[in-house]
Amino acid sequence: MKKMRLGKTDVFLPVIGLGTWEMGGGISPDPSNDKESIRAIVRAVELGMTHIDTAEYYGAGHTEELVGKALKEIDRDKVFLTSKVWPNHLKIKDMLKSVEGSLKRLGTDHLDLYLIHWPPEDISITEAIKNINTVLERGYTRYIGVSNFSISQLKEAMEASKNPIVCDQVRYNIEDREIEKAGLLDFCQKNGISVVAYSPLNRMGISITASKLHKIAKERNLTPAQIALAWLVKKGVFSIPKAISEKHLVENAKAGDIELTEEEMKFLE
Ligand SMILES: NC(=O)c1ccc[n+]([C@@H]2O[C@H](COP(=O)([O-])OP(=O)(O)OC[C@H]3O[C@@H](n4cnc5c(N)ncnc54)[C@H](OP(=O)(O)O)[C@@H]3O)[C@@H](O)[C@H]2O)c1
């Protein structure tokens, strides 16, 4: 599994990690697939996908509980654990309550990365960033970042932050190129901020480019999903596909070692 530097830190993370949205529920808890979810998280780490992405919002906290259960079966230090604070919890009192709740559910004393899940609605970016800096300075997390921030929001966040903003987690996949059009990918790459691509498989709704993905996949004896992930690797971003099935987990981990040629990239463009 290829690794890449996270922001300007000394941390090198696997290019492919694991997303956990819909493990243990969507906007409310759903315990019907708990066993499979825990197994998938443990398996992902075994396969080298040690960057686990979760959020207090997922399953209204139940997803973090499942990640916590999986962590009991894994060496905590092997995992790079990311969680996110929901935008109505960005005032300092609420944010401290949120991070403490996340840590309790996750059964750990620190996060590796804490993200503001969406730009704030009822307080300024400057205040929210000041508060997430406090969370870091109190030792709850090693690094901080943002999610779904535009260039202008990111600039404001960078200006307000005493500690580096190490990433912007945004929607990006071979079919959804919005961050390229907006110049966000370029901006992040020039400023040493990692892009973490969510929905890297377009929630497996990849269709428009399917025939091209299929062609390359067939030529290389791989799957279209693996080509879609390898495309993101070549773009220099991290991906966090969500997968529960053993087949998908194994495929995704292998995608972290696929090198697409410049010709294949051009064809896929
Ligand atoms: N920051 C944000 O606002 C935000 C928003 C959305 C998502 N996220 C994060 O990003 C993660 C990933 O995004 P996502 O869950 O929206 O979508 P995704 O990863 O693009 O797609 C997940 C779907 O793809 C399937 N899949 C996984 N690997 C596959 C493979 N090799 N071949 C075929 N199908 C495969 C999964 O099936 P199985 O599960 O059945 O294996 C699942 O149905 C989330 O889980 C979450 O952690 C963050």
Side-chain angles (χ1 to χ4, degrees):
M1 169 78 74
K2 274 184 212 149
K3 289 192 172 178
M4 240 174 10
R5 186 186 288 275
L6 174 70
K8 293 178 184 168
T9 70
D10 294 333
V11 175
F12 282 78
L13 284 187
V15 287
I16 313 277
L18 181 76
T20 61
W21 169 241
E22 285 184 338
M23 290 190 187
I27 57 171
S28 53
D30 172 3
S32 60
N33 68 357
D34 281 8
K35 239 174 125 185
E36 295 86 338
S37 299
I38 295 167
R39 192 205 60 85
I41 298 161
V42 173
R43 188 72 180 122
V45 175
E46 281 171 6
L47 290 164
M49 295 181 288
T50 53
H51 175 195
I52 309 292
D53 179 78
T54 190
E56 64 170 348
Y57 184 73
Y58 299 174
H62 187 51
T63 308
E64 286 181 329
E65 287 171 352
L66 297 182
V67 175
K69 285 189 178 158
L71 282 178
K72 289 206 173 101
E73 297 178 35
I74 311 163
D75 180 357
R76 165 70 184 89
D77 294 340
K78 277 196 185 147
V79 175
F80 188 91
L81 189 56
T82 299
S83 192
K84 317 184 197 77
V85 55
W86 196 243
N88 60 352
H89 294 155
L90 299 180
K91 291 184 184 145
I92 189 63
K93 236 174 126 186
D94 299 329
M95 201 187 284
L96 289 171
K97 200 170 152 206
S98 277
V99 73
E100 281 166 7
S102 287
L103 291 178
K104 193 165 176 217
R105 289 187 290 274
L106 290 162
T108 181
D109 62 357
H110 72 281
L111 294 167
D112 294 294
L113 180 57
Y114 200 41
L115 307 179
I116 294 178
H117 205 143
W118 286 90
E121 284 160 11
D122 51 358
I123 66 167
S124 67
I125 287 181
T126 301
E127 188 185 340
I129 291 293
K130 197 176 136 233
N131 296 343
I132 202 168
N133 272 269
T134 302
V135 167
L136 181 146
E137 282 152 13
R138 292 203 187 175
Y140 292 111
T141 184
R142 294 168 61 210
Y143 301 102
I144 52 172
V146 295
S147 177
N148 298 301
F149 273 43
S150 66
I151 296 182
S152 62
Q153 291 165 332
L154 202 45
K155 279 184 181 163
E156 200 178 332
M158 287 157 74
E159 218 156 274
S161 193
K162 277 197 259 166
N163 297 285
I165 303 290
V166 301
C167 78
D168 193 357
Q169 185 183 121
V170 288
R171 186 179 166 84
Y172 186 38
N173 59 61
I174 194 162
E175 282 185 356
D176 186 341
R177 315 283 286 273
E178 197 46 47
I179 67 158
E180 287 177 23
K181 285 186 218 137
L184 182 68
L185 179 62
D186 223 36
F187 177 82
C188 287
Q189 290 182 332
K190 280 188 183 134
N191 287 281
I193 294 172
S194 292
V195 167
V196 178
Y198 74 67
S199 303
L201 297 170
N202 206 6
R203 317 218 75 219
M204 215 40 216
I206 286 171
S207 55
I208 305 163
T209 46
S211 62
K212 291 193 173 188
L213 288 176
H214 277 277
K215 183 174 180 294
I216 296 184
K218 206 169 163 207
E219 282 168 10
R220 297 191 54 163
N221 202 19
L222 296 164
T223 69
Q226 287 179 308
I227 304 299
L229 293 176
W231 180 87
L232 286 164
V233 174
K234 194 82 176 175
K235 288 281 181 180
V237 307
F238 293 103
S239 296
I240 43 165
K242 175 259 179 184
I244 283 208
S245 86
E246 170 71 10
K247 179 176 177 288
H248 292 164
L249 287 162
V250 171
E251 275 182 26
N252 298 353
K254 284 191 185 147
D257 282 320
I258 299 167
E259 178 77 34
L260 292 179
T261 65
E262 291 303 332
E263 262 180 26
E264 287 168 331
M265 286 301 279
K266 250 192 208 157
F267 177 71
L268 290 169
E269 278 310 297

